[in-house]
Amino acid sequence: NGKYELGRNIDAGVTKTDITNWGTTGFNPIGNASNNFNGTFDGLGFTISNLYINRPTQSYVGLFGYSNNATIINIGLNNVDITGKDYVGGLLGYKYGGTISNSYATGSVSGTHTVGGLLGYKYGGTISNSYATGSVSGTHTVGGLIGINDSGTISNSYASGSVNGDYYVGGLVGNNFGTISNSYSSGSVNGELYLGGLVGSNHGTISNSYSSGSVNGQSGVGGLVGLNYAIITKSNSSGTVNGDFDIGGLVGFNENGTISNSYATGNVNGQNRVGGLVGINIGTISNSYSSGTVIGKFVVGGLVGYNDGTIENSYATETVSGTSFVGGLVGNNFGTISKSNSSGSVNGQSGVGG
């Protein structure tokens, strides 16, 4: 619980090359579930390079394993090579409260559950002016910056590496229950269920943020968010989205969530319930639009594939192609549409409307 500073740049390559002293597991993370790091660490703008950790059966893995209301600032990690099990991050595995700011990690991070390029799990506290680049991989709840943001805030931060997992996978955050603002992601996202260019599954608030990387999966795939339960405002996506089913240029599945003042400009390719902005909407969409190309087979719309919610003051300029239930604005509507329009070309075989 003391105060620590980094006095100079450190090359930690010895953690991988000096097997005699470090073994094959590499560096032992600072802090664990029974003995947390709860002090202050200030990197003073210096860097640690080539940090190696190979602990695939151990949880709480990173330079720091587990922190409790700690402050970690002004530190850069270059070319990390980190493998753990659950709660794995380039800088920190598990964060309870506290602050991370002006920090970054580059390199590769891999694990099983709750894995992030900078941080695995975050409860409360703040992350600001920080980033992660490089590859991140896991199975469940994987993010380019953070695996789970379980309350608290993320601001003025980004991730630019590729992210790969099975479900709840996001270019910035895998699963968000807090607030994300003024942040972005630009790397590709690949997986199966609930994938988003920025966030895999959103239960919190996303504002003034964007994603530009491609997103490739099966179901619940969105250019910005895969599955949205809460609030998205003043945000956008521009990457190509590919999938089968809940496929949308901005959001795959908007379940009782609210989308406002947002847009999508990337191309969307899917099979069933495919939309330029949202694949399935059972929430509210307002003051939003989509442009680009939408290609699908069944229930395909320039703005929304399947609507059982509310759409108002929104429009689509997409070129839309499908087989049946194909619409310039909505493919299949059971909800309410008001003060909205479409202007792109529409091509289909049956149940086709401008």
Side-chain angles (χ1 to χ4, degrees), residues 22 251 345:
W22 290 92
V251 174
S345 64

Side-chain angles (χ1 to χ4, degrees), residues 71-84:
T71 297
I72 302 173
I73 56 176
N74 306 317
I75 178 65
L77 297 175
N78 291 321
N79 193 35
V80 301
D81 183 354
I82 295 176
T83 300

Side-chain angles (χ1 to χ4, degrees), residues 59-77:
S59 296
Y60 311 113
V61 172
L63 173 65
F64 293 88
Y66 196 121
S67 73
N68 188 347
N69 292 312
T71 297
I72 302 173
I73 56 176
N74 306 317
I75 178 65
L77 297 175

Side-chain angles (χ1 to χ4, degrees), residues 52-283:
Y52 175 75
I53 303 175
N54 181 28
R55 299 170 181 262
T57 62
Q58 179 177 325
S59 296
Y60 311 113
V61 172
L63 173 65
F64 293 88
Y66 196 121
S67 73
N68 188 347
N69 292 312
T71 297
I72 302 173
I73 56 176
N74 306 317
I75 178 65
L77 297 175
N78 291 321
N79 193 35
V80 301
D81 183 354
I82 295 176
T83 300
K85 185 182 178 184
D86 302 333
Y87 308 111
V88 183
L91 176 64
L92 173 59
Y94 190 104
K95 172 184 178 293
Y96 186 94
T99 298
I100 294 175
S101 67
N102 300 310
S103 298
Y104 70 86
T106 72
S108 64
V109 179
S110 63
T112 302
H113 181 283
T114 314
V115 184
L118 187 74
L119 173 61
Y121 178 94
K122 168 187 172 295
Y123 180 86
T126 62
I127 292 182
S128 62
N129 304 305
S130 298
Y131 68 90
T133 67
S135 63
V136 183
S137 62
T139 57
H140 180 286
T141 318
V142 185
L145 188 75
I146 300 173
I148 295 180
N149 179 37
D150 191 357
S151 78
T153 62
I154 300 169
S155 62
N156 303 307
S157 298
Y158 72 90
S160 62
S162 63
V163 185
N164 298 277
D166 292 339
Y167 52 105
Y168 298 118
V169 184
L172 190 78
V173 176
N175 210 339
N176 177 54
F177 295 85
T179 299
I180 299 172
S181 64
N182 303 307
S183 298
Y184 72 90
S185 60
S186 58
S188 64
V189 177
N190 306 282
E192 295 182 9
L193 306 177
Y194 309 128
L195 318 176
L198 190 78
V199 173
S201 178
N202 178 51
H203 303 256
T205 299
I206 298 172
S207 64
N208 297 301
S209 298
Y210 73 89
S211 61
S212 59
S214 63
V215 187
N216 307 284
Q218 294 181 2
S219 180
V221 183
L224 189 80
V225 174
L227 179 60
N228 180 51
Y229 293 98
I231 298 170
I232 298 172
T233 184
K234 297 179 181 178
S235 298
N236 69 85
S237 61
S238 59
T240 299
V241 182
N242 301 295
D244 293 328
F245 179 83
D246 304 41
I247 312 302
L250 190 79
V251 174
F253 190 177
N254 185 38
E255 184 171 353
N256 299 314
T258 300
I259 300 170
S260 64
N261 302 295
S262 298
Y263 63 90
T265 58
N267 296 328
V268 183
N269 304 283
Q271 299 291 321
N272 195 338
R273 292 172 173 80
V274 183
L277 190 78
V278 176
I280 295 178
N281 177 52
I282 57 174

